[in-house]
Amino acid sequence: MYNLSDMATIRELLSKNGFRFSKSLGQNFLINPSVCPRMADAAFETCKGGVIEIGAGIGVLTCELAKRFFKVLSFEIDKTLLPVLSETLSDFGNIEIINEDVLKTDLNELINSKMAGMDVCVCANLPYYITSPVIMCLLESRLPLKSITVMVQKEAADRLCADVGSRNAGAVTAAVNYYATVEKLFPVSKGSFVPSPKVDSSVIRLVIRDKPPVCVDDETKFFRLVRAAFGQRRKTAANSISAGLSIPKNEVEKALSAAGFDLNIRAESFTLEDFSALYNNLNF
Ligand code: SAM
């Protein structure tokens, strides 16, 4: 078995296979040996069946997942990593590498065909350029997931883990909290990767809720309102919603008053319950 945290081993494997790091694919591979076991343990606490990894890299986290889970489906978009992975993962019979863009794959279909009857979760050191799209796609597709344990840039973790209704919150905070409970697990320094990125990271875990904390009749429409409210952060929610949804400002103000809010309120002050109250008073 390869020691995938050892720089000499990594260098030899990569040069033998003619691999070059791609910045645009977010290729920062983990070399800190304590991180992958902790991530895999955190995912396994919530689910014991199948796990989906996004971005296998050279397989350092994939191995730890394969030691714990019954079945591992691991996406890797870069076909130049496939010969590396077939070497590093050769000891395991429960891993399937999927050489596709995760954002262009029907994950519901994949889970139904490859992991039917299993509890399923996601565990990944995410390529940073698609952090929010991946998390939102996993949540909005209503996949039958127990949890999502991911490494993200520290700033993204701060935003995702902020309390809805607090200064650091954004549209993604509200969306994530609608579908899941969110916790920050542990920090990871930039020196834990090769090549080393410019910023530190954090591992966070989203445990999917059985049902959302507020009830809305049309989720797509509800999140249009949330996104519009955060669209122009320096403006009041009334101005931002009016511009974002093309509704006259006086109508937005009427809905704010009817729901009991100050007309100068800003989006970051809204809790999910507040957004739901406003949504129910606004015609759009
Ligand atoms: N899991 C490895 C680790 O921890 O060392 C690699 C993580 S690296 C941050 C992200 C990986 O995702 C890269 O190997 C990259 O090629 C892959 N990747 C980037 N975009 C992808 C996409 N759209 N679909 C699937 N894999 C992708």
Side-chain angles (χ1 to χ4, degrees):
M1 193 165 308
Y2 289 89
N3 177 357
L4 296 177
S5 302
D6 174 58
M7 270 317 296
T9 308
I10 296 174
R11 249 186 244 119
E12 195 201 318
L13 260 169
L14 295 182
S15 79
K16 184 166 81 176
N17 288 285
F19 173 80
R20 280 173 189 276
F21 284 95
S22 157
K23 215 173 176 179
S24 64
L25 287 177
Q27 289 177 340
N28 302 98
F29 298 160
L30 267 165
I31 48 164
N32 177 334
S34 70
V35 175
C36 294
R38 284 180 81 184
M39 287 182 73
D41 281 343
F44 194 63
E45 267 172 27
T46 68
C47 145
K48 313 286 182 224
V51 63
I52 298 175
E53 184 188 16
I54 296 158
I58 58 170
V60 63
L61 176 59
T62 326
C63 290
E64 293 302 325
L65 296 172
K67 287 180 200 164
R68 293 161 178 78
F69 288 86
F70 186 69
K71 170 106 194 157
V72 182
L73 294 178
S74 185
F75 282 88
E76 179 47 67
I77 198 171
D78 185 348
K79 68 175 182 339
T80 67
L81 284 167
L82 301 184
V84 179
L85 288 166
S86 61
E87 278 192 57
T88 58
L89 305 179
S90 60
D91 289 344
F92 298 95
N94 57 345
I95 301 172
E96 193 171 328
I97 299 292
I98 303 170
N99 179 216
E100 284 175 27
D101 180 341
V102 68
L103 288 172
K104 294 188 179 150
T105 304
D106 181 343
L107 293 172
N108 253 314
E109 213 271 316
L110 187 80
I111 291 172
N112 283 335
S113 65
K114 309 249 181 208
M115 290 176 165
M118 289 183 212
D119 277 350
V120 179
C121 63
V122 168
C123 184
N125 171 12
L126 284 181
Y128 291 154
Y129 75 106
I130 47 170
T131 298
S132 290
V134 166
I135 292 178
M136 290 320 300
C137 162
L138 295 173
L139 294 171
E140 286 173 350
S141 317
R142 292 284 188 174
L143 300 172
L145 296 177
K146 291 285 176 201
S147 66
I148 302 171
T149 304
V150 279
M151 169 105 62
V152 298
Q153 287 191 334
K154 186 185 169 301
E155 287 67 23
D158 290 345
R159 170 78 28 112
L160 288 161
C161 298
D163 288 330
V164 189
S166 76
R167 231 184 136 65
N168 273 334
V172 72
T173 323
V176 160
N177 276 273
Y178 179 84
Y179 294 105
T181 56
V182 192
E183 50 186 328
K184 211 183 261 182
L185 297 184
F186 56 92
V188 180
S189 71
K190 48 188 156 205
S192 299
F193 302 87
V194 64
S196 179
K198 288 205 175 69
V199 292
D200 291 327
S201 298
S202 295
V203 175
I204 64 170
R205 182 169 63 185
L206 283 57
V207 176
I208 310 301
R209 296 181 190 274
D210 292 333
K211 71 180 186 45
V214 293
C215 185
V216 293
D217 62 359
D218 181 337
E219 286 175 357
T220 309
K221 212 168 150 196
F222 177 67
F223 285 114
R224 272 179 59 215
L225 169 65
V226 173
R227 273 196 298 275
F230 282 106
Q232 296 174 302
R233 285 185 79 89
R234 295 224 181 96
K235 297 199 169 173
T236 61
N239 278 320
S240 198
I241 292 167
S242 165
L245 297 179
S246 306
I247 305 174
K249 188 175 164 192
N250 67 327
E251 281 187 29
V252 181
E253 288 182 337
K254 238 191 269 166
L256 282 168
S257 293
F261 298 114
D262 186 304
L263 297 186
N264 291 318
I265 192 166
R266 285 173 193 272
E268 67 250 34
S269 304
F270 283 124
T271 62
L272 274 176
E273 289 71 19
D274 294 338
F275 272 121
S276 151
L278 178 58
Y279 172 81
N280 287 327
N281 279 283
L282 190 64
N283 286 321
F284 65 105

